[in-house]
Structure formats: structure tokens, C-alpha cells
Amino acid sequence: MVTGLARHGDVTIAYEQLGPAGGEPLLLVMGLGMQLLSWPDEFCAMLVERGFCVVRFDNRDAGRSTHFARAGNPGLLRMLARPGSVAPYRLTDMADDAAAVLDAVGWPTAHVAGASLGGMISQTLAIRHPDRVRTLTSIMSTPSPRIGRPRPAALAALGIPPATSRDAAGERMVRVFRAIGSPRYPLEEQALRELGRRAYDRGHDPAGARRQLAAIRASGDRRPGLAGVRVPTLVLHGDADPLVRVSGGRATAAAVPGARLVVYPGMGHDLPRPLWRELVEELCALVGRPG
């Protein structure tokens, strides 16, 4: 594994590169408030075994990347009413961060896969930097904050009070994924506790997730831009996703000409281990690697 920092103006983005440098380049983009750790090590190892060189990174306001602490914690009511007035940046800025990571690792182009907010960033990257994206995979995401809106219980889970210790961060992670995870598959509580603890140690910033949410709200509808995307596109979604409902995935696939949509029964807003092999096989098929 190689670690490094990419630079986009005054912003630094922490990344990790896994697998042989000559492998098929794959950039993984994670979701709201989550760190690169949320792409599980074993899942990444499966991709490396299939011939990929994997790069995962912390979005701005997460983990070891730059945090916009001076912007404070956007108020929820103002965010909903006038998101542009409280968002310190937009998804276009986060997509440019991703392009900076490509520059830092020396990749002129890459396959790009993003989950949740990461899917939105990946979509924006394909629109904004079409010459950098070989294929696009959008996972449990949406082209617009107005499509696939969360169920009340899932939204409430995101409002669970922030943790004040590493052990509390582990328990909070379990509580969140009890609400938004996959009902068809067992919840790996111990793995989630450890993820929460590790994330707390690397860069605990609850307000950062609020600022990322403000960016989503302020960035609008990407469907007009997605209509111009011409790279092979895969859309993966669960039919039991309570945070970004499956209509978000369907709208994404409908917006991109020729996109392939795969809907998994009983999958929620997570990456359940029993589906990892199927997810990897879909990625291999998209990029033309042996399954």
C-alpha cells in the first residue's frame, strides 16, 4: 500500500493506493461523512486480485483530508431553505478533488466508482472531466437531491448525536447501520464498531458531514449533464435502501445513455459482504476484465 496527499489549491486530499502500479486503474469515492476506510480492505483486495490497482481517498471534510472547520456547522433549517448560502463548496469542487487525486497518482484516466455521495461526486467528475473517466459506476446514489429522498427513520439515524469517544463512535456506527443497512443480510456489528473507532482516531468531525450535505443540497440536478456522458456506465442499487431510495438509482440509469442498472433485492444503504463477489464481477464485466 502507498499513501500520499493530493493537492487541489489549498485543499489536501489523503489517499491510499493498493495493488500493482500496472493494474487497471480504479478510483473509489466514498459517501457522506465516511472515510476511505469504508471501502473494506477485503473488498479492495478482491479487486486487486482481479487485476485492478485501487485508489481510495478521504473526501474534503473527512478523515485526513482538509477540513473546512472555519465554515462551522450549517444549520439544518437554513440548509434546507437556502443551501447555497451555507455550503462552503459544491460537488464540482469535490469532483475536482478527485481529479487532483488522479493527477497525484499519475493516472491520465481511470475507471471511477462511487457510493452514495461518492456516486454523486463520480457523476460530476464524468460530466466535468469526461476525458479522465474510462467507465462510471454509481452505487446507491442519485442524480438529484429531490429524487430518492430518505425515509424518516433513515434520516433520523443520521441525526444521532455525535460521539465523544472512540468507543462511542463505534456504537454510533452500529446504530446508524441498523437503520440504513441491508435487511436481507446480517449486520456485521463488530466490524462496524472497529470502523467507527478507526474513523474517530483518523479524523472525527461531525460538522464535516453537515458541510458535505450542504454541498449536495446546493449542487442541484445532474441529469442534464449526465445526458452527455458517453462512457460505459453501471448503476448498482438496493431495493431496500432507505437513505437513497431505489428511485435514485433508476433515475441515474435513465439519465445516462446506455447505462446498465442492477437492483439487488434486500440490499440497503451499505455494501453487504455476501454481495461483494457479485459487485466485483459487475465491475469486471464493465471494464472488460475476466470475471
Side-chain angles (χ1 to χ4, degrees):
M1 182 178 70
V2 176
T3 63
L5 291 174
R7 297 193 178 276
H8 171 209
D10 294 333
V11 176
T12 57
I13 302 295
Y15 68 85
E16 294 180 353
Q17 181 173 330
L18 304 97
E24 197 76 24
L26 174 61
L27 184 70
L28 299 179
V29 192
M30 191 28 77
L32 181 70
M34 307 300 280
Q35 302 181 20
L36 60 81
L37 302 172
S38 293
W39 292 107
D41 293 345
E42 293 171 67
F43 179 75
C44 292
M46 291 172 65
L47 290 165
V48 170
E49 288 171 4
R50 296 297 185 91
F52 289 98
C53 179
V54 174
V55 168
R56 56 185 181 176
F57 66 95
D58 293 326
N59 287 311
R60 58 174 63 195
D61 264 329
R64 293 177 176 164
S65 293
T66 295
H67 290 246
F68 285 69
R70 290 184 179 179
N73 189 338
L76 185 58
L77 292 179
R78 288 182 63 200
M79 187 194 305
L80 295 175
R82 298 179 60 196
S85 69
V86 296
Y89 49 82
R90 305 290 190 271
L91 293 183
T92 51
D93 299 300
M94 301 183 82
D96 289 350
D97 293 343
V101 174
L102 296 180
D103 292 339
V105 298
W107 288 351
T109 64
H111 306 284
V112 180
S116 194
L117 164 62
M120 303 173 203
I121 295 168
S122 300
Q123 294 167 22
T124 306
L125 181 66
I127 294 167
R128 190 169 172 84
H129 301 283
D131 57 327
R132 308 298 302 270
V133 178
R134 297 188 189 184
T135 65
L136 170 64
T137 301
S138 181
I139 307 169
M140 53 192 180
S141 194
T142 179
S144 168
R146 297 181 178 276
I147 303 174
R149 288 178 172 176
R151 297 187 184 280
L155 193 60
L158 298 186
I160 295 172
T164 56
S165 70
R166 70 187 310 271
D167 285 340
E171 294 306 320
R172 185 183 188 280
M173 189 74 76
V174 171
R175 289 182 64 191
V176 169
F177 279 92
R178 280 177 184 158
I180 69 173
S182 299
R184 185 169 179 170
Y185 299 98
L187 191 69
E188 297 190 27
E189 294 193 6
Q190 191 52 44
L192 286 168
R193 287 189 183 93
E194 182 59 22
L195 174 63
R197 292 167 184 152
R198 292 174 65 197
Y200 186 90
D201 292 340
R202 290 182 81 249
H204 181 62
D205 183 5
R210 279 288 185 91
R211 294 188 289 269
Q212 291 178 348
L213 181 58
I216 294 172
R217 295 283 306 172
S219 295
D221 193 327
R222 286 173 297 285
R223 285 176 293 178
L226 289 172
V229 171
R230 293 293 181 266
V231 298
T233 298
L234 173 66
V235 180
L236 306 175
H237 219 109
D239 70 358
D241 189 334
L243 189 61
V244 180
R245 287 189 265 185
V246 70
S247 58
R250 293 192 176 113
T252 304
V256 181
R260 168 176 162 78
L261 172 65
V262 181
V263 177
Y264 293 100
M267 175 178 159
H269 201 76
D270 61 355
L271 299 171
R273 185 184 298 268
L275 288 179
W276 286 359
R277 191 159 301 281
E278 292 183 46
L279 299 176
V280 169
E281 288 173 356
E282 288 289 351
L283 281 166
C284 287
L286 180 70
V287 307
R289 297 200 66 82

